[in-house]
Amino acid sequence: QGHEVRSMEQLVAPMAQMPELIACPRELDLPGIERTGPVAHIEPCIRAAETPDASFPWDQLPSDKELVLVSLGSQTEVYLEPARQLYCKLFEMMRAAADEPWHFVISVGKDFDPAELGATVGGETPDNVTICRWLPQLQLLDRAALMVGHGGLGTIKECAYFGVPMVIVPLSRDQPDNARRVEHHGFGLALDPATASVETLLEAVRRGLEDGDMAASARRLKEVFRRAEDEQRGAVLLEGILSGERPMVAAVAASESLAPGFAG
């Protein structure tokens, strides 16, 4: 207050000194990560809707097959052509899995035409596939056995919250690092998009559904994420700061020092 701001550096400098709250339990991070300044890992901030989305065709989901969700996120315009190529491989993989006891629900987002992608590999969407632009992901994860995706942190947190193993094909941004986190903690597999094929995708899905160790790791993370959400660590921290119980920087540092260590 009272000082003239002459540059963008001056404008953002105070923000660089502010405490950081990371909306993800520390157990999902990689060991050896060094974070400067006061940082606190809080709850994953996931709230599952209680009422099923009436616009989704729930009647298309067979009760006698394992449910596999497939999505490359909501920002495929950033990596449009790699996403298109991967979607085509995924459709071929799903068609190749027609005789498996699996049912796929695939979301293609706003940048692709479901009918066009479905026709890419044979003219019609396979019987073992439900295709849509958007899917009620949290509600479906509550029923799913596996998630196949691009490695966005939001989806990874949601899979951990519901204890759902993952197959990740990272395409851009933070996704390769996120894929490493998932593999390090043992609740998923990562494939290189440059070399992923119909065969390797099919094998990864099979392993994701059948690997007992992977399922056990997913269940362990589910306990961690549910506990963090129930404890409302961020809300408790902020309430303490707002009440004047302790200064912000000291409160954040104390909160992080009490957080669990790395798992796995």
Side-chain angles (χ1 to χ4, degrees):
Q1 186 175 0
H3 296 284
E4 183 179 356
V5 176
R6 297 179 178 276
S7 68
M8 181 61 69
E9 289 74 15
Q10 284 181 291
L11 181 64
V12 302
M15 297 176 60
Q17 304 303 317
M18 294 178 66
E20 179 181 5
L21 304 186
I22 300 176
C24 184
R26 183 151 54 112
E27 289 87 341
L28 189 61
D29 216 339
L30 291 168
I33 297 292
E34 295 292 336
R35 301 190 184 278
T36 59
V39 176
H41 291 74
I42 60 174
E43 64 269 24
C45 300
I46 295 169
R47 289 289 183 272
E50 296 181 357
T51 304
D53 185 342
S55 65
F56 182 79
W58 297 98
D59 58 340
Q60 292 187 16
L61 306 184
S63 59
D64 60 340
K65 292 189 176 183
E66 292 186 289
L67 183 62
V68 180
L69 304 188
V70 182
S71 174
L72 302 184
S74 60
Q75 299 180 39
T76 47
E77 72 275 5
V78 177
Y79 35 85
L80 196 61
E81 189 53 35
R84 182 187 303 278
Q85 295 174 13
L86 180 53
Y87 269 130
C88 290
K89 291 179 184 178
L90 288 166
F91 269 98
E92 292 183 36
M93 180 273 293
M94 293 185 288
R95 187 174 295 280
D99 294 330
E100 301 288 350
W102 315 330
H103 187 83
F104 297 90
V105 177
I106 182 168
S107 165
V108 300
K110 66 183 185 303
D111 298 311
F112 298 103
D113 180 355
E116 176 188 349
L117 281 179
T120 301
V121 286
E124 295 183 0
T125 302
D127 292 339
N128 61 336
V129 177
T130 297
I131 182 172
C132 50
R133 286 197 180 277
W134 304 105
L135 52 81
Q137 186 159 297
L138 292 177
Q139 296 169 26
L140 286 166
L141 280 172
D142 198 26
R143 301 172 55 172
L146 185 70
M147 177 85 200
V148 180
H150 62 308
L153 183 58
T155 293
I156 290 173
K157 291 195 303 180
E158 291 166 1
C159 286
Y161 183 83
F162 286 96
V164 177
M166 306 188 72
V167 172
I168 297 178
V169 189
L171 297 176
S172 182
R173 293 178 168 178
D174 62 333
Q175 297 159 21
D177 283 341
N178 291 338
R180 282 191 282 273
R181 289 180 171 89
V182 169
E183 284 205 310
H184 173 77
H185 293 291
F187 83 108
L189 303 170
L191 301 180
D192 184 341
T195 58
S197 65
V198 174
E199 293 74 21
T200 58
L201 285 166
L202 184 60
E203 180 55 33
V205 168
R206 188 184 310 281
R207 182 179 167 192
L209 290 169
E210 297 178 356
D211 191 308
D213 291 338
M214 200 179 302
S217 295
R219 289 193 297 270
R220 174 181 54 80
L221 276 173
K222 176 180 178 179
E223 293 178 2
V224 168
F225 273 61
R226 295 288 175 114
R227 182 172 65 251
E229 195 70 72
D230 291 343
E231 291 173 355
Q232 292 290 283
R233 298 170 184 173
V236 172
L237 174 61
L238 290 174
E239 286 173 358
I241 293 170
L242 294 173
S243 69
E245 185 177 304
R246 58 195 316 179
M248 181 180 292
V249 172
V252 170
S255 173
E256 184 68 358
S257 70
L258 296 175
F262 296 114

